[in-house]
């Protein structure tokens, strides 16, 4: 079974027979699009190539003049332990094969074997080497808590640890040519994640986006693969499909969970074979785009229920990320609110407003079924009717509770007694303690939000809370 691979490292083919090197190179390029190849006929040059080039896998002939394959295998394992080695021998000797595996070879093949077996073995080794490299890189990033390319995530407004973990994972798998599955509820920003993944990949081609929702099988095939002139009525000229337009770049398929069964088969074939046929053509074209897909569905559950192909699901989930919903990222709500209000103000030509400190608390208690997209709509709606210096909370209240009506003026202006008449007034310290308790209650224990509600610094609030606890009174 063929697969379109773009290894993140070079593949070094070592053999003193030029004809074998040429034959193996052509087979690798044709069967899997593996073209990051280096060829070496002189075994004395191998270690210099490994020191100079980014090589992740070596195919090594055992019987060569100058330096034997056994000698090179030991040197590679000792000096470049991260490089995988596949031994290829003209002799089918079990004892030699076992000895090579003991000394660190990944696999052993005989030249007289069917070439397809060797090609599949090389592909398997590439996948495992990429996975090992990605695991090492991911471990390093998590241990150091670093982002090497924060500029790729500049359009994603967040200070959430879960989102930072997603960013670190994307950086780790960025060089891979394997599919990437992005899952998460509608409105969490899956397309922004796809754009970041494309930017991180460094691919010279474009990012091409296709929404798969609602596409029947014929439209899906024509959209992805294009057609030749005369392929169907009205096809008076050939048209390149999205796969061709995304060559050397990234093809992003959104709402992949809504694909029809027939379209799922076509996508699976594209992923497996790395080839496709434009409508009306009997000559295949090679796909040179990385596939990134997104869905708000639980694909694992859908494949268990028979609504999504199991083999396609396992192909797509080679690399996968889940984007947490906004209700699990309360700390991002004030950041996103400020961002969208500023964005809307600039777009509408209005000055950037201030807003009541109670607004982030109100929004933090809303489940946001529409996620970031819903908050953006709220901010734009509020800015469109904004007139005074301070933003009204009424638009947000109505968005959260659509059945809510605006308060009557008489209701809004009715006199309220804060303290019970004829009772002694509390001291200023007692009032301050009451305010702190109420702010902490409204902020659900979040000191950052409570300090904004009170209009004091967070250190000042922490000091006040400490005094309350020392006095034997809990703030909540």
């Amino acid at each position: 079974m063929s697969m379109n691979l773009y290894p993140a490292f070079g593949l070094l083919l070592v053999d003193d027979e030029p004809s074998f090197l040429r034959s193996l190179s052509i087979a690798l390029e044709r069967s899997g699009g593996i073209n990051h190849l280096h060829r070496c006929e002189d075994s004395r040059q191998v270690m210099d190539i490994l020191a100079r080039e980014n090589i992740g896998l070596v195919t090594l002939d055992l019987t060569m003049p100058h330096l034997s394959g056994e000698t090179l295998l030991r040197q590679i394992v000792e000096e470049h332990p991260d490089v995988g080695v596949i031994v290829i021998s003209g002799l089918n000797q079990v004892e030699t094969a076992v000895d090579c595996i003991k000394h660190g070879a990944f696999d052993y093949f005989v030249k007289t074997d069917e070439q397809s077996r060797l090609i599949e073995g090389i592909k398997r080794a590439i996948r495992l080497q990429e996975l090992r490299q990605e695991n090492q890189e991911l471990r390093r990033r998590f241990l150091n808590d670093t982002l090497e390319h924060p500029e790729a995530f500049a359009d994603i407004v967040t200070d959430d640890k879960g989102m930072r973990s997603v960013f670190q994972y994307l950086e780790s798998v960025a060089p891979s040519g394997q599919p990437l599955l992005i899952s998460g509820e509608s409105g969490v920003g899956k397309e922004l994640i796809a754009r970041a993944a494309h930017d991180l990949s460094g691919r010279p081609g474009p990012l091409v986006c296709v929404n798969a929702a609602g596409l029947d099988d014929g439209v899906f095939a024509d959209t992805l693969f294009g057609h030749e002139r005369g392929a169907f009525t009205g096809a008076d000229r050939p048209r390149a499909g999205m796969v061709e337009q995304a060559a050397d770049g990234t093809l992003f398929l959104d709402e992949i969970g809504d694909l029809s069964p027939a379209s799922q088969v076509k996508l699976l074939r594209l992923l497996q074979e790395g080839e496709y046929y434009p409508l009306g053509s009997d000559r295949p074209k090679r796909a040179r785009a990385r596939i990134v897909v997104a869905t708000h569905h639980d694909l694992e559950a859908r494949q268990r229920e028979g609504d999504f192909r199991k083999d396609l699901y396992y192909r797509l989930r080679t690399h996968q990320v889940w984007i947490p919903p906004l209700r699990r990222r309360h700390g991002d709500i004030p950041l996103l609110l400020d961002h969208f209000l500023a964005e809307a103000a600039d777009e509408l030509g209005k000055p950037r407003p201030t807003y009541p400190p109670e607004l982030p608390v109100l929004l933090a208690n809303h489940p946001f079924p529409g996620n970031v997209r819903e908050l953006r709509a709220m901010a734009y709606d509020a800015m469109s009717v904004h007139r005074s210096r301070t933003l009204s909370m009424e638009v947000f209240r109505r968005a959260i509770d659509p059945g809510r009506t605006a308060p009557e003026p008489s209701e809004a202006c009715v006199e309220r007694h804060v303290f019970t008449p004829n009772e002694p007034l509390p001291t200023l310290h007692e009032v301050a303690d009451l305010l702190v308790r109420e702010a902490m209650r409204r902020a659900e224990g979040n000191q950052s939000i409570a300090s904004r509600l009170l209009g004091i610094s967070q250190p000042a609030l922490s000091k006040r809370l400490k005094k309350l606890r020392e006095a034997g009174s809990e703030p909540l």
Side-chain angles (χ1 to χ4, degrees):
M1 188 174 289
S2 178
M3 190 172 188
N4 198 24
L5 289 173
Y6 294 89
F9 48 77
L11 174 58
L12 176 61
L13 312 178
V14 184
D15 199 295
D16 63 322
E17 297 180 28
S19 59
F20 178 77
L21 287 179
R22 188 166 51 252
S23 170
L24 182 57
S25 298
I26 293 171
L28 286 169
E29 290 173 354
R30 286 182 175 174
S31 66
I34 303 171
N35 50 24
H36 192 185
L37 300 174
H38 303 260
R39 294 188 291 193
C40 179
E41 299 173 23
D42 188 339
S43 58
R44 294 170 295 183
Q45 299 174 2
V46 169
M47 299 309 292
D48 288 338
I49 295 174
L50 291 179
R52 188 174 66 247
E53 303 288 346
N54 176 27
I55 303 296
L57 185 66
V58 176
T59 66
L60 189 62
D61 183 23
L62 271 188
T63 309
M64 294 183 292
H66 309 302
L67 284 176
S68 69
E70 290 98 329
T71 302
L72 271 176
L73 173 61
R74 289 180 174 87
Q75 288 183 9
I76 293 172
V77 170
E78 182 180 345
E79 298 181 30
H80 300 276
D82 291 338
V83 176
V85 180
I86 291 178
V87 172
I88 302 175
S89 173
L91 301 174
N92 188 1
Q93 295 180 340
V94 175
E95 185 178 341
T96 303
V98 171
D99 192 51
C100 288
I101 299 299
K102 282 183 178 179
H103 283 92
F106 176 81
D107 213 336
Y108 182 99
F109 289 94
V110 181
K111 285 185 178 179
T112 55
D113 288 342
E114 290 184 13
Q115 194 174 59
S116 59
R117 285 191 61 209
L118 174 58
I119 299 299
E120 286 306 310
I122 291 173
K123 289 181 181 180
R124 183 168 60 250
I126 287 174
R127 284 192 289 267
L128 290 174
Q129 279 293 89
E130 282 197 329
L131 185 61
R132 184 190 57 77
Q133 287 187 357
E134 288 158 10
N135 286 339
Q136 287 181 344
E137 183 65 14
L138 191 59
R139 190 182 305 115
R140 183 184 68 80
R141 290 177 194 274
F142 275 117
L143 288 174
N144 297 332
D145 194 25
T146 58
L147 283 177
E148 293 188 359
H149 300 284
E151 68 279 0
F153 309 102
D155 293 335
I156 304 174
V157 179
T158 183
D159 196 28
D160 182 71
K161 289 184 178 179
M163 291 295 289
R164 185 175 179 83
S165 297
V166 169
F167 297 166
Q168 289 172 326
Y169 179 80
L170 288 176
E171 283 194 338
S172 298
V173 303
S176 173
Q178 300 298 315
L180 170 66
L181 169 61
I182 305 169
S183 57
E185 296 177 6
S186 294
V188 293
K190 295 187 288 293
E191 184 170 339
L192 289 177
I193 295 295
R195 290 186 182 279
H198 171 69
D199 291 342
L200 288 167
S201 72
R203 287 173 169 264
L207 172 69
V208 176
C209 303
V210 180
N211 192 318
L215 296 182
D216 63 32
D217 184 52
V219 175
F220 176 79
D222 187 33
T223 300
L224 252 63
F225 309 137
H227 61 254
E228 297 294 324
R229 181 181 178 184
F232 50 83
T233 304
D236 52 356
R237 64 181 64 184
R239 187 182 70 82
M242 295 299 189
V243 177
E244 186 173 344
Q245 292 177 35
D248 299 318
T250 302
L251 177 64
F252 174 52
L253 301 176
D254 201 3
E255 300 301 345
I256 200 72
D258 295 325
L259 275 184
S260 69
S263 295
Q264 290 177 34
V265 172
K266 289 181 171 63
L267 179 59
L268 177 63
R269 189 177 300 126
L270 175 69
L271 292 171
Q272 287 179 340
E273 307 299 333
E275 293 180 342
Y276 65 95
Y277 289 85
L279 298 181
S281 173
D282 57 1
R283 298 181 63 185
K285 289 188 175 183
R286 175 149 298 281
R288 302 202 318 274
R290 185 193 189 184
I291 306 295
V292 176
V293 301
T295 181
H296 69 277
H297 292 292
D298 182 347
L299 288 190
E300 185 174 4
R302 286 178 68 83
Q303 62 91 12
R304 283 199 306 267
E305 295 161 1
D307 296 324
F308 198 84
R309 291 185 65 97
K310 182 180 294 187
D311 44 7
L312 177 57
Y313 168 64
Y314 286 115
R315 284 288 186 194
L316 292 175
R317 73 167 198 173
T318 305
H319 303 305
Q320 56 182 325
V321 292
W322 175 75
I323 313 304
L326 188 55
R327 63 181 172 275
R328 296 195 182 185
R329 296 157 44 195
H330 281 178
D332 282 350
I333 291 176
L335 297 175
L336 288 163
L337 178 63
D338 290 339
H339 173 74
F340 290 138
L341 287 176
E343 189 178 73
D346 291 344
E347 196 170 307
L348 297 170
K350 295 183 176 183
R352 299 186 181 187
T354 59
Y355 51 80
E358 297 87 357
L359 181 55
V361 181
L362 173 72
L363 297 175
N365 288 302
H366 179 53
F368 279 103
N371 290 291
V372 178
R373 188 184 295 139
E374 181 183 357
L375 177 57
R376 183 181 187 275
M378 286 182 182
Y380 269 72
D381 190 29
M383 278 304 304
S384 67
V385 298
H386 174 61
R387 296 291 181 271
S388 61
R389 194 169 66 179
T390 303
L391 196 69
S392 170
M393 289 179 55
E394 196 55 38
V395 170
F396 294 92
R397 289 195 179 104
R398 285 202 302 272
I400 290 171
D401 181 10
R404 176 186 173 85
T405 57
E408 295 292 331
S410 57
E411 281 184 51
C413 301
V414 68
E415 182 182 0
R416 294 165 56 195
H417 292 285
V418 178
F419 303 108
T420 306
N422 304 322
E423 289 288 328
L425 289 172
T427 66
L428 288 175
H429 284 295
E430 290 172 336
V431 171
D433 291 344
L434 287 171
L435 285 172
V436 168
R437 289 194 187 93
E438 178 62 17
M440 289 293 289
R441 185 189 66 79
R442 293 189 183 190
E444 296 183 335
N446 187 311
Q447 292 188 28
S448 177
I449 295 175
S451 63
R452 286 201 296 270
L453 289 174
L454 293 166
I456 62 175
S457 68
Q458 194 166 335
L461 175 60
S462 298
K463 188 176 180 181
R464 192 84 198 180
L465 291 171
K466 183 179 179 183
K467 287 183 178 179
L468 277 173
R469 293 190 182 97
E470 287 173 351
S473 175
E474 287 296 323
L476 283 173

